[in-house]
Amino acid sequence: MQKSVSYLHFIILFLLVGPATQAQQKQRFTDLAQALSTGSQLAGSQGPRSINWIDDGNRFSFIDGPTLIKSYSPKDQREEIVFDATKLSLPGTQRFSYSSFQWSKDARNLVFQSNFRPVWRRSGISDYYVYSLADKSLKLVAKDAQTAELSPDGRKVGYERGGNLFVYDFATQKETQLTNDAARFYYNGRFGWVYEEEFGLAQAWEWSPDSKYIAFWQSDERQVPIYRLTDFSGFDENYDSVPYPRVGDTNPIVRIGVLDVNTGQKQWMKVDLAGGYIPRIYWTSQEGQLAVVHLNRKQNALKLFFTNARTGDTRLVMEEKSDAWIDIYDFFAGIMHYFYFPTGSQDFFWVSERDGFAHIYRYDYSGKLLNQVTKGNWEVTYVHNVDAKNKKVYFSSTEQSPLERQLYVIDFDGKNKRRLTQAAGRHTIDFSPNGQYYIDRYSNVSTPTQVELWDTKGQKIRTLEDNSRARELMNTLAYAPKELTSFTTSDGQKIDISMIRPVDFTTTRKYPVLIDIYGGPGAQSVYNDFSSSAWHQYLAQQGYVIVSVNNRGSSGYGRTFEKIVYEKLGQYESKDFAETAKYLATQPWVDGARVGIRGHSYGGYMSSYTMLTYPDVFRVSIVGAPVTDWRLYDSIYTERYMGLLPENDEKYRQSAVTTYAKNLKGKMFIAHSAMDENVHLRNTMQLVKNLIDNGKDHELRIYPPGAHGVAYNSVSYLLLYQQYTDFLDKNLKSGAVN
C-alpha cells in the first residue's frame, strides 16, 4: 500500500510541477569527478561473477565477495561454499589472490590464475595453481605462463611458457616440455600482437576432447617489421619493440601442429598458408580429427579443412567466397566462433550471411549442406548451445528488432522455432552445457540490468540481481533516460539513433548537440538497453543533447547495410553522421549551428574524418587515438575492409583523414598516448603536420604513458574527460568559435 501511495504522490507531483521542475529538485552532480564516480553505481551489478557451469550444467559456480567461491544448483536451489581464499596463504604468509579460475571436468579440482601481468589486450603472464577440493591443498603447477588449461579428463594441465608448450601430470606430479624451439618472435602456442588483436584469441592451442592431443599454432614473426615505442621517461631512451605488420607488410607465418601428449610426437597439418591466415582450429567429434579454417590475405575466401592429427593428411570440406570480407568471429559482441562441432554428432554448423543475413547452416562431415537452419530478414548474433542429443540449437537474434537481442530455440531441421526470453531489451545469455538452464542478463532504456536464472521450459527459477540500488539512484538523481528514434537519410536509408536530452529539457530552448560515435565495421552503438554513461549524464545536466548512431557499416541490419562500406571506409559512415546532425537541426529545440562530434579509436577516425569532410555541419570534434591514414594501421584489420595495395591506393587516399586537413573550419581537440601499441602515435602526428601545413589551428594533448585508452590511471582519466568537457563548454556550449 505504501508503494501505491508513493507512486500516486509522484504522479500528482509530475502533473503539478512538470518534468523540468522535478529535474531541478532531484540531485545533480557537483562536478565531473563526482559524476564519473557514479558511473559504476548506475551500471549496477552484473550479478554473480565468473560464472562456471559444472557437473555437465547441473550446477554453476560463482565468486561471492573477495574470498569465496560458491556453487548453486538450479534444480534444488541449493547454495554451497566450495572455496574460501581466507583459509589459504602463499609462502611468506602472503594472502592468496586470483584473477580467474577453471574447473576440472569432474569438479574435483580448481585451477587458479594468479599474479596476472598484462601483455596485450587479452593476454598476460600469470602463475597457475591447482586446488584440490578433497584435501584442500594448493599447489603451484605453472609459473610465468601465458595460458594454461586443464585437460578434459582433468588429469593434466597444459600451459604455454616462454613460447613453448608444457603439460603437468597430477598423477606423477611432473612437468613435461612438449616443444623446445621457441626463440625471439618465434612461438609455439602463443600469438603475436596482430593475430591476438585482430582474430580475437589469446590462447594459441587446444586440447583434444579425449585429452590425447594438443593442437597449436606456431607463429613466426621474425620477418615482421618492428614498431618501437617509448613513454620518454627517465634520462635514457628505453623502447618497447612490437612486431607490427602494416598494410602490405610481411605478415606472421603460422602453421598448425599436433602434439601427442603421451609420446611427445609432433605432426604438422598439411595446410598451405598461401600468404593468408589460419584464424581458427576446432577438434571435431571424430577422434583425432582437427578442423582448420583458412582465409586468404584479402579475407574474402574461406576454406575449411579436416586434418588427421596422426598423419597431417588434409581434405577440403567446404569453401566460401565473397565480394566483401568474411567474418569468422565478432569482436564487439564477444562471439569468438562461427563454426560449431557438437560432440556426439557427425554434423557441424556454420553462421554465414550468404543469403544477405547472418544465419545458421548445417553440414555433414563430407561437406554436404544438409539444410539452412534459420531464415528471415534478421540476423543470428550468437549460437549459445548445440544440443546434439535433442537436435536443437539455442541462439540469439535480431528478429524482434536490430536494437534488441532475444534468445530462441530451433530444431536442427529448421522447424519449431520458439522465443525463450520475454522482456524487451538487449539480452546476454550464459547457457548451461546440458541445455536445461540459462542465466539471462538484460536491460532496456527504462530498466537497469536484471539478472535471472531460467530453465529452457520457460520457468524463471530465481532473480539473481534486480539492481534496486541503481533504480533508486536513477529516481533520486537528475537522470536523463535514453530515447530511441530513427530518421531517413537523403538517399533513403533508415538510420536508428539514440538520444539523451538535458534533464531540464524544454522545447522553448535551443540546445547544443554532441554526437558520440564509434562507427566501425561490425560494431553497433544503439541498443534498447539502459544508459549508464556517467559522462553522458553529466553533459545532460549541463544542457547538452547526446546522440549515438547506428550508421551504415553497423552490424544487426544485414549484409548490405554493413558491407556497403567495403573499400570505402569513412565515406558512408560520415554521411550518416552528417545527416544525423542535419536531421537534428530540423528539431525546434536543437541549435543546428552548435553540433559537435566525438569518438575514440575508430570513433576518433570518424570524428576527425567527418569534421573535415563535412566542415559546414560540425562546429567541434573531439578526436581520441585516431587512425588518420589506413596505410599506417595493421594489415589484418585494414586489408579486411580496404583491400590490398597497390591496387587500392586511391581508395586508401580517399579514406585518409590527412587528405582533407585543409578543410578544417571549426575546432578540433586531439588526444593520443605515446605508448599506444594499437593505433600508433604516428597517425596523430601526421594529421597534426597536415593541419599545420594548411595553417589550421587545433588542440593537442599527448599522454606519454597509457596505451590505446590514452588515460593510464584514475587521475589521468579524470583529467582527460575534464579536458573534453572544458573544450565543449568553451567551443560548443557557449556558441562562440574564435
Side-chain angles (χ1 to χ4, degrees):
M1 178 61 71
Q2 183 61 45
K3 288 184 179 180
S4 298
V5 171
S6 298
Y7 182 74
L8 180 60
H9 175 75
F10 175 81
I11 294 296
I12 294 171
L13 182 65
F14 183 93
L15 294 173
L16 288 174
V17 303
T21 306
Q22 290 175 65
Q24 292 164 6
Q25 292 178 346
K26 290 188 175 183
Q27 296 176 11
R28 291 175 179 260
F29 300 122
T30 56
D31 54 25
L32 180 61
Q34 185 196 41
L36 295 182
S37 68
T38 309
S40 60
Q41 299 174 49
L42 272 177
S45 168
Q46 296 301 300
R49 293 186 296 128
S50 192
I51 294 290
N52 281 264
W53 290 97
I54 54 179
D55 292 346
D56 294 323
N58 292 311
R59 292 188 295 153
F60 65 85
S61 68
F62 61 97
I63 295 174
D64 185 14
T67 62
L68 297 179
I69 297 176
K70 295 182 177 180
S71 70
Y72 183 83
S73 168
K75 184 177 181 180
D76 57 20
Q77 301 189 41
R78 183 179 178 184
E79 187 173 287
E80 296 179 305
I81 297 174
V82 296
F83 177 78
D84 186 350
T86 61
K87 298 179 180 180
L88 289 173
S89 61
L90 300 175
T93 69
Q94 178 185 350
R95 180 67 58 85
F96 179 69
S97 62
Y98 57 92
S99 52
S100 67
F101 66 91
Q102 56 187 282
W103 286 88
S104 61
K105 189 174 182 179
D106 60 10
R108 294 180 179 179
N109 295 290
L110 287 164
V111 175
F112 288 102
Q113 181 186 37
S114 183
N115 190 25
F116 177 78
R117 290 142 279 167
V119 176
W120 305 128
R121 186 195 295 267
R122 300 170 183 83
S123 60
I125 297 171
S126 304
D127 303 328
Y128 290 88
Y129 293 82
V130 172
Y131 175 79
S132 168
L133 271 68
D135 60 17
K136 296 181 170 51
S137 63
L138 184 71
K139 181 179 180 60
L140 176 67
V141 296
K143 187 173 179 58
D144 298 330
Q146 191 141 319
T147 53
E149 185 179 298
L150 278 162
S151 60
D153 63 11
R155 297 177 180 177
K156 297 180 176 67
V157 175
Y159 47 96
E160 179 273 319
R161 181 176 64 218
N164 281 312
L165 287 163
F166 301 78
V167 291
Y168 179 89
D169 190 305
F170 292 137
T172 64
Q173 298 189 31
K174 290 183 179 180
E175 174 185 272
T176 301
Q177 184 167 347
L178 299 176
T179 65
N180 57 13
D181 57 348
R184 181 172 168 81
F185 305 139
Y186 187 87
Y187 319 114
N188 299 290
R190 180 192 297 183
F191 296 117
W193 183 88
V194 73
Y195 252 74
E196 177 184 318
E197 176 69 19
E198 303 304 357
F199 288 136
L201 300 179
Q203 182 167 310
W205 57 277
E206 295 286 340
W207 279 106
S208 64
D210 57 11
S211 303
K212 293 179 180 179
Y213 305 101
I214 288 177
F216 69 99
W217 278 264
Q218 184 181 81
S219 301
D220 184 355
E221 296 191 301
R222 291 174 295 185
Q223 302 304 312
V224 176
I226 299 296
Y227 180 72
R228 303 173 73 211
L229 61 167
T230 181
D231 65 2
F232 302 97
S233 62
F235 297 100
D236 298 317
E237 297 293 346
N238 296 311
Y239 287 91
D240 287 349
S241 296
V242 183
Y244 186 105
R246 295 188 302 185
V247 176
D249 282 345
T250 299
N251 272 327
I253 298 172
V254 303
R255 57 177 174 168
I256 304 300
V258 175
L259 296 160
D260 186 311
V261 175
N262 294 318
T263 67
Q265 291 184 330
K266 178 171 57 183
Q267 179 65 56
W268 297 108
M269 303 299 99
K270 299 170 185 176
V271 175
D272 186 359
L273 189 63
Y277 305 104
I278 299 177
R280 290 292 185 274
I281 59 174
Y282 302 95
W283 287 102
T284 72
S285 65
Q286 185 172 321
E287 191 270 335
Q289 182 172 268
L290 185 72
V292 178
V293 178
H294 180 273
L295 281 175
N296 64 336
R297 177 151 184 164
K298 203 170 180 179
Q299 299 174 68
N300 63 354
L302 177 147
K303 294 181 179 179
L304 177 68
F305 298 95
F306 281 180
T307 66
N308 186 305
R310 299 179 186 85
T311 66
D313 291 341
T314 301
R315 64 183 175 91
L316 178 64
V317 176
M318 58 156 284
E319 59 183 319
E320 177 89 342
K321 294 183 179 180
S322 172
D323 58 1
W325 70 90
I326 297 175
D327 292 306
I328 53 92
Y329 85 113
D330 187 333
F331 169 87
F332 301 100
I335 302 166
M336 291 297 101
H337 303 286
Y338 281 153
F339 281 97
Y340 304 89
F341 297 85
T343 57
S345 173
Q346 293 292 304
D347 299 341
F348 70 90
F349 297 79
W350 178 43
V351 177
S352 169
E353 53 186 13
R354 58 174 54 170
D355 75 347
F357 293 87
H359 282 296
I360 304 168
Y361 293 80
R362 175 182 169 222
Y363 292 81
D364 66 19
Y365 273 22
S366 72
K368 177 184 176 183
L369 176 63
L370 299 176
N371 62 283
Q372 182 175 343
V373 181
T374 60
K375 296 178 182 179
N377 293 340
W378 44 269
E379 303 246 271
V380 170
T381 57
Y382 208 119
V383 175
H384 301 283
N385 182 280
V386 179
D387 183 348
K389 180 180 178 181
N390 297 300
K391 297 189 180 302
K392 294 183 181 297
V393 181
Y394 296 87
F395 65 95
S396 291
S397 82
T398 64
E399 185 171 359
Q400 281 298 116
S401 164
L403 306 184
E404 300 199 357
R405 299 293 184 267
Q406 300 285 349
L407 176 66
Y408 294 81
V409 61
I410 195 169
D411 292 346
F412 278 12
D413 61 7
K415 298 178 180 179
N416 299 316
K417 178 165 63 72
R418 177 168 57 94
R419 177 176 162 185
L420 298 178
T421 45
Q422 303 300 317
R426 182 184 182 186
H427 293 254
T428 302
I429 305 298
D430 193 332
F431 217 90
S432 68
N434 60 13
Q436 294 184 25
Y437 310 106
Y438 63 93
I439 294 172
D440 179 15
R441 293 178 177 88
Y442 72 92
S443 72
N444 54 51
V445 292
S446 59
T447 308
T449 298
Q450 304 293 293
V451 187
E452 299 169 348
L453 175 63
W454 288 74
D455 66 29
T456 51
K457 296 178 181 178
Q459 295 297 313
K460 184 169 77 168
I461 299 171
R462 183 179 179 183
T463 296
L464 303 175
E465 178 60 72
D466 66 1
N467 275 310
S468 58
R469 291 185 178 180
R471 196 185 297 271
E472 290 171 7
L473 179 62
M474 179 181 69
N475 291 331
T476 58
L477 185 70
Y479 177 81
K482 179 167 67 174
E483 305 170 37
L484 302 175
T485 187
S486 64
F487 73 97
T488 302
T489 64
S490 59
D491 58 350
Q493 178 62 60
K494 179 189 174 186
I495 298 293
D496 287 319
I497 65 174
S498 67
M499 183 187 310
I500 296 174
R501 305 192 201 203
V503 294
D504 55 356
F505 177 79
T506 172
T507 57
T508 61
R509 289 180 54 187
K510 285 186 174 290
Y511 296 96
V513 174
L514 178 66
I515 300 178
D516 200 355
I517 50 94
Y518 180 76
Q524 186 171 333
S525 297
V526 178
Y527 293 93
N528 180 12
D529 60 6
F530 188 69
S531 173
S532 60
S533 168
W535 190 51
H536 286 177
Q537 289 301 315
Y538 182 75
L539 292 178
Q541 291 187 11
Q542 302 305 307
Y544 291 92
V545 177
I546 305 96
V547 174
S548 293
V549 184
N550 280 352
N551 53 278
R552 276 172 278 196
S554 299
S555 65
Y557 293 84
R559 187 182 189 281
T560 300
F561 188 91
E562 179 180 353
K563 297 191 172 174
I564 194 173
V565 303
Y566 183 59
E567 296 185 341
K568 302 181 184 70
L569 290 187
Q571 296 174 41
Y572 279 98
E573 305 97 303
S574 61
K575 176 181 177 61
D576 290 344
F577 298 141
E579 296 233 359
T580 300
K582 293 175 182 177
Y583 161 73
L584 292 168
T586 65
Q587 307 305 305
W589 39 269
V590 166
D591 186 347
R594 290 190 293 157
V595 180
I597 186 168
R598 179 259 179 186
H600 183 91
S601 191
Y602 196 99
Y605 164 64
M606 285 315 313
S607 62
S608 53
Y609 187 93
T610 308
M611 177 75 169
L612 297 177
T613 53
Y614 292 89
D616 296 319
V617 175
F618 295 93
R619 174 154 288 193
V620 303
S621 66
I622 295 176
V623 180
V627 175
T628 63
D629 188 326
W630 288 107
R631 289 165 288 197
L632 302 177
Y633 198 55
D634 79 63
S635 56
I636 297 179
Y637 183 96
T638 306
E639 292 170 359
R640 179 187 302 154
Y641 305 121
M642 284 296 297
L644 306 180
L645 292 176
E647 67 246 37
N648 280 3
D649 187 69
E650 177 58 24
K651 293 179 180 178
Y652 274 83
R653 192 192 70 80
Q654 292 177 9
S655 288
V657 178
T658 49
T659 300
Y660 309 98
K662 63 181 181 297
N663 295 340
L664 181 63
K665 288 186 177 181
K667 294 291 186 179
M668 181 179 287
F669 180 101
I670 310 169
H672 213 137
S673 167
M675 289 296 287
D676 189 340
E677 90 290 344
N678 187 340
V679 179
H680 300 156
L681 183 59
R682 175 185 288 131
N683 285 270
T684 282
M685 291 306 181
Q686 290 196 10
L687 173 58
V688 166
K689 169 67 161 49
N690 277 268
L691 290 171
I692 293 171
D693 287 348
N694 286 279
K696 301 297 182 179
D697 195 14
H698 53 278
E699 294 190 33
L700 175 65
R701 298 291 189 276
I702 302 297
Y703 283 57
H708 189 44
V710 180
Y712 52 91
N713 57 24
S714 59
V715 174
S716 63
Y717 181 81
L718 174 58
L719 177 62
L720 179 65
Y721 275 82
Q722 190 66 63
Q723 290 169 338
Y724 287 166
T725 306
D726 292 346
F727 176 78
L728 293 174
D729 287 348
K730 177 184 177 182
N731 298 297
L732 191 64
K733 187 176 182 181
S734 68
V737 174
N738 298 325

